[in-house]
Amino acid sequence: MSRRALALFLVAGVVLAFVPNLRSALDFPIFYLIFLYSLFFWITQATSWNILTGFSGYFSFGQAAFFGVGVYTSAILVARYDVGFFATLPAAGIMATVLAGTIGFLAFRLRALRGEVFALLTLAVTFVLTALAGANSYIDGGQGHRVSVPDYPSFLGSYPDFIYRVGLVMAIASVAIAYSIQHSRFGRGLFAIRDDEDVAEALGTPTLRYKMLVLSLSGFLAGAAGGIHSLQISYITIGETFSFTVPLFVILMSVLGGRNHWLGPVIGATVVYTLRDRLSGAGFEAWSQILLGSILILAIIFAPEGLYPRVRARLRLVILVAVVVLAVESGADVGGASLDQITIAMLVVLPLLLVPDRILRWTGWLRPAVVPVGRKARRAATWDRESLTLRATGQEASVAVGSDAVSAPLLQCDQIRMEFDGLHALQDVDISISAGEIVGLVGPNGSGKSTLINVMSGMFAPTSGSVRFRGVDITGRPPHVISNLGIARTYQIPRPFATMTVFDNVAVACMFRHKGMTLDEAQHAAWEYLEFTGLVDVADTLPSQVNLHQRKFLELARGLASEPEVLMLDEVLSGLNPTEIDESVEMIRRIHASGHTIVIVEHVMRVVTDLASRMVVLNYGRKLAEGTPAEVMNDREVVKAYLGREHA
Ligand code: ADP
Ligand code: MG
């Protein structure tokens, strides 16, 4: 479906490129070209905003800054330095990229800014640029810039034809970029960042690089489109360039159209720009704002995912109604330009898109809801990768199993100390894990077990002490690097990517493991882990719709899909009933037998003593005891710590 949509989109683009040639033949007013150019401009800006905010979740108010830098770069280069117009476009894009990169450096590198703080930063940057442009007469100084008609190849037609065509190419390029991002590993990484950045990082996604990349790309598209737009505005002023209309409109367009999909901003921009332009053109300036505001409110309430999924599910209905309305309009000769007739059809179709599913269901015209991200999971009959770890049996496994095979430590913590605002969560903890072991990590609540897992997986850099993996110091390395080295972990409270299906959750882990996979490969490989953990039946379900047992197993499946050597399980069994616990124990044995070293944090003692070859007991952040399950369970200090807590 998606590929077909892109093909249709590209065909439409090619057809649109020839519209100026048909103008005289069709008696087509030049005003239509200007209208369409503006639509292309907004599609580009909304798409640029959406790959950043819609895909990665970093909310930006900085669209006017990126766009404005592009406008001024082109205008200044043309006016002051006589640079050819086309050469200014990459420059406009690059200047906006530099700005975006600076914002990214400040926000992501210096301080890990998220949420409102990031949004405020982009807003502040816009204010600073506006003030700078006003104060600096080289940039503007309040005078404005007149942009003269540049030289351009004659095959591009008259001046309006030329602007139209350049704008069209820019829009197609932006949308094609959004499409390819969405259908790549990069895009899945961004979705993962949007859903839960820490988990994305822990599964091997290079989150910093991805955020910088998408921010720069978003800036580049906005800046280059700004360069083109300098031709259209012809007289550039600060007030209009760095105006709040730009960020507000791109947000409105993307939210209305749907932020999860490359076509969302295209749909949103088309609806919003057409309605606004036509209603103002008809003298309803104030009404256009009221109407757009109302549509947005209704959309947020009744179609929070945006129009795209609705258009998809109700496509036949939409086309039918639109055709009928247009036919009636031309038959009844209601007058007005055809653009206005299209606007009326749009106003009739919009409510149809907003009404809830249950009202339309009786018509039988609804298609099943779209799988949230990506395509529906499909099982590969032919998939056969020899290296899949889970196929290996105990004998074939790469790591010898059993305590007699224990040799040099695989993972070693030395004198780990972890403090949170004066609270000593871990103090001088030494722990050493050898290949092939199952180490049980136990201790009362708050004794530091999860903190130790966070330190070993790189989520926390310890206050002091070191972590070594295969003898290499990994203290303070980013979690995605540690994940790629071969250490995976699960979360005590499951943290699935909420907007992705169970299947995609696992596929993301396959994509970002060491020697990551392409989207297609991962789509095949993920099945293995779903089958192993018994999640095949819920593959296409959102994590919020499966039970706790399945969410815990999804944690396991994702951990395994990272192809780790050491798998750290943080209370995977808590909250499960006895049958589910027995099932899980069996599964952990199989995971171990296939060559994984396991660290298991667990409260159910019979499980730990049964599974673990060695146990480590933490108490108040210190290591209290260590040894075989029998030794530890008979240790007087351990008994005291547990009994003491129970009586407290
Ligand atoms: P356990 O997993 O053994 O129950 P934790 O490792 O979760 O214990 O917690 C150990 C101590 O560290 C607790 O007192 C907890 O409140 C504190 N702690 C854990 N994580 C943080 C954090 N991110 N910020 C502040 N304190 C924390
Ligand atoms: Mg814990």
Side-chain angles (χ1 to χ4, degrees):
M1 161 67 199
S2 208
R3 242 166 245 172
R4 218 171 348 141
L6 181 72
L8 264 174
F9 181 83
L10 293 178
V11 168
V14 172
V15 171
L16 282 169
F18 288 100
V19 162
N21 303 73
L22 303 173
R23 206 172 78 219
S24 45
L26 292 180
D27 196 17
F28 182 85
I30 192 150
F31 145 77
Y32 278 24
L33 277 193
I34 298 168
F35 169 86
L36 284 173
Y37 162 77
S38 299
L39 180 56
F40 301 151
F41 167 77
W42 284 110
I43 287 176
T44 309
Q45 292 298 337
T47 301
S48 144
W49 183 84
N50 199 55
I51 57 172
L52 171 62
T53 303
F55 286 7
S56 83
Y58 275 81
F59 207 96
S60 160
F61 284 114
Q63 199 66 25
F66 300 145
F67 152 72
V69 164
V71 170
Y72 272 95
T73 304
S74 278
I76 290 172
L77 286 177
V78 169
R80 289 195 202 279
Y81 302 99
D82 224 10
V83 178
F85 170 71
F86 285 106
T88 70
L89 294 186
I94 288 168
M95 288 300 284
T97 307
V98 169
L99 174 67
T102 311
I103 293 178
F105 181 80
L106 293 173
F108 307 142
R109 267 222 100 102
L110 289 187
R111 303 275 313 274
L113 299 182
R114 292 188 199 174
E116 302 86 3
V117 189
F118 178 81
L120 286 175
L121 180 71
T122 58
L123 192 61
V125 166
T126 314
F127 284 133
V128 170
L129 282 183
T130 312
L132 192 68
N136 184 315
S137 59
Y138 174 80
I139 304 174
D140 187 296
Q143 325 247 309
H145 282 280
R146 180 166 298 287
V147 179
S148 48
V149 176
D151 291 333
Y152 62 87
S154 57
F155 74 87
L156 288 171
S158 68
Y159 192 51
D161 295 355
F162 156 64
I163 297 178
Y164 168 92
R165 288 190 166 123
V166 181
L168 173 66
V169 170
M170 187 72 219
I172 292 178
S174 312
V175 176
I177 286 174
Y179 173 92
S180 33
I181 292 179
Q182 185 176 327
H183 295 86
S184 68
R185 215 160 81 98
F186 177 42
R188 291 311 158 88
L190 295 178
F191 289 142
I193 289 172
R194 178 186 65 192
D195 280 1
D196 193 329
E197 189 167 338
D198 288 337
V199 177
E201 173 76 29
L203 286 176
T205 317
T207 57
L208 176 63
R209 198 187 324 149
Y210 275 23
K211 290 187 295 185
M212 289 297 284
L213 200 60
V214 79
L215 183 56
S216 306
L217 199 55
S218 168
F220 186 88
L221 295 177
I228 295 169
H229 204 61
S230 69
L231 295 179
Q232 166 72 12
I233 22 188
S234 71
Y235 193 79
I236 296 163
T237 60
I238 299 171
E240 294 209 5
T241 307
F242 293 104
S243 110
F244 261 94
T245 321
V246 181
L248 291 185
F249 267 89
V250 293
I251 293 169
L252 176 60
M253 288 162 175
S254 304
V255 170
L256 184 69
R259 279 178 288 178
N260 280 341
H261 198 274
W262 59 278
L263 264 176
V266 177
I267 294 173
T270 307
V271 170
V272 172
Y273 184 71
T274 308
L275 291 184
R276 189 178 86 125
D277 184 82
R278 293 328 300 143
L279 288 170
S280 320
F284 299 115
E285 179 86 50
W287 281 101
S288 83
Q289 310 216 356
I290 294 171
L291 187 76
L292 285 175
S294 313
I295 291 175
L296 184 66
I297 292 170
L298 291 175
I300 288 170
I301 297 171
F302 294 111
E305 298 290 313
L307 294 179
Y308 168 75
R310 293 291 175 86
V311 171
R312 225 202 116 167
R314 302 173 186 185
L315 193 59
R316 283 182 298 170
L317 188 64
V318 166
I319 292 175
L320 180 79
V321 172
V323 167
V324 169
V325 173
L326 288 173
V328 168
E329 281 173 345
S330 53
D333 200 13
V334 289
S338 46
L339 196 53
D340 295 317
Q341 300 189 355
I342 292 174
T343 310
I344 293 172
M346 206 177 254
L347 280 172
V348 174
V349 166
L350 266 176
L352 273 183
L353 290 174
L354 295 180
V355 295
D357 275 355
R358 76 191 115 83
I359 296 180
L360 279 185
R361 195 159 290 137
W362 60 270
T363 61
W365 284 72
L366 281 189
R367 288 186 26 192
V370 195
V371 172
V373 170
R375 0 182 177 150
K376 223 170 151 58
R378 219 168 290 126
R379 180 176 213 139
T382 51
W383 182 252
D384 183 32
R385 228 174 73 117
E386 293 114 47
S387 61
L388 277 178
T389 13
L390 295 174
R391 289 251 175 80
T393 64
Q395 292 81 13
E396 292 162 350
S398 55
V399 180
V401 175
S403 53
D404 46 11
V406 168
S407 51
L410 187 60
L411 184 60
Q412 190 171 16
C413 294
D414 281 315
Q415 295 290 299
I416 297 290
R417 186 179 275 269
M418 184 80 224
E419 291 173 13
F420 298 107
D421 298 324
L423 180 127
H424 298 274
L426 291 174
Q427 295 186 67
D428 309 325
V429 175
D430 290 320
I431 182 169
S432 151
I433 293 151
S434 303
E437 277 193 299
I438 300 187
V439 175
L441 188 58
V442 300
N445 270 329
S447 57
K449 305 178 298 290
S450 295
T451 304
L452 187 58
I453 287 190
N454 281 325
V455 166
M456 293 195 286
S457 64
M459 177 93 116
F460 297 156
T463 313
S464 66
S466 71
V467 185
R468 289 163 172 279
F469 184 60
R470 300 167 166 284
V472 179
D473 191 349
I474 58 166
T475 328
R477 308 279 308 265
H480 76 268
V481 172
I482 294 180
S483 163
N484 284 338
L485 286 172
I487 301 177
R489 55 89 51 91
T490 66
Y491 293 88
Q492 183 172 349
I493 297 163
R495 287 171 73 170
F497 298 123
T499 66
M500 298 186 199
T501 58
V502 165
F503 179 82
D504 276 331
N505 264 277
V506 180
V508 163
C510 294
M511 277 174 233
F512 290 101
R513 67 191 184 194
H514 172 65
K515 290 201 184 121
M517 298 178 151
T518 64
L519 206 66
D520 281 337
E521 287 170 340
Q523 302 247 339
H524 291 297
W527 277 113
E528 183 94 5
Y529 303 99
L530 291 180
E531 239 163 49
F532 184 81
T533 47
L535 293 174
V536 168
D537 291 343
V538 291
D540 282 332
T541 316
L542 284 180
S544 57
Q545 287 156 348
V546 303
N547 62 36
L548 176 70
H549 172 72
Q550 289 164 324
R551 271 205 295 279
K552 293 256 175 189
F553 276 24
L554 176 56
E555 284 286 326
L556 257 180
R558 270 197 323 197
L560 286 171
S562 313
E563 245 182 2
E565 245 174 285
V566 181
L567 181 60
M568 303 192 285
L569 307 174
D570 197 352
E571 304 202 18
V572 270
L573 310 185
S574 65
L576 303 188
N577 67 35
T579 328
E580 290 168 342
I581 289 182
D582 289 341
E583 252 178 74
S584 313
V585 167
E586 194 39 50
M587 186 175 297
I588 293 169
R589 277 195 214 288
R590 273 161 57 206
I591 294 172
H592 179 238
S594 68
H596 294 81
T597 303
I598 292 176
V599 176
I600 178 168
V601 171
E602 198 41 72
H603 278 303
V604 188
M605 271 308 151
R606 77 168 166 92
V607 171
V608 197
T609 50
D610 210 22
L611 274 174
S613 44
R614 197 157 60 83
M615 281 169 70
V616 173
V617 187
L618 290 182
N619 192 28
Y620 291 115
R622 287 184 184 277
K623 191 165 80 175
L624 185 68
E626 185 172 8
T628 62
E631 283 164 7
V632 165
M633 294 316 284
N634 292 321
D635 187 298
R636 285 183 52 189
E637 292 293 319
V638 174
V639 173
K640 211 164 80 188
Y642 271 97
L643 290 180
R645 287 294 175 93
E646 269 163 28
H647 288 291

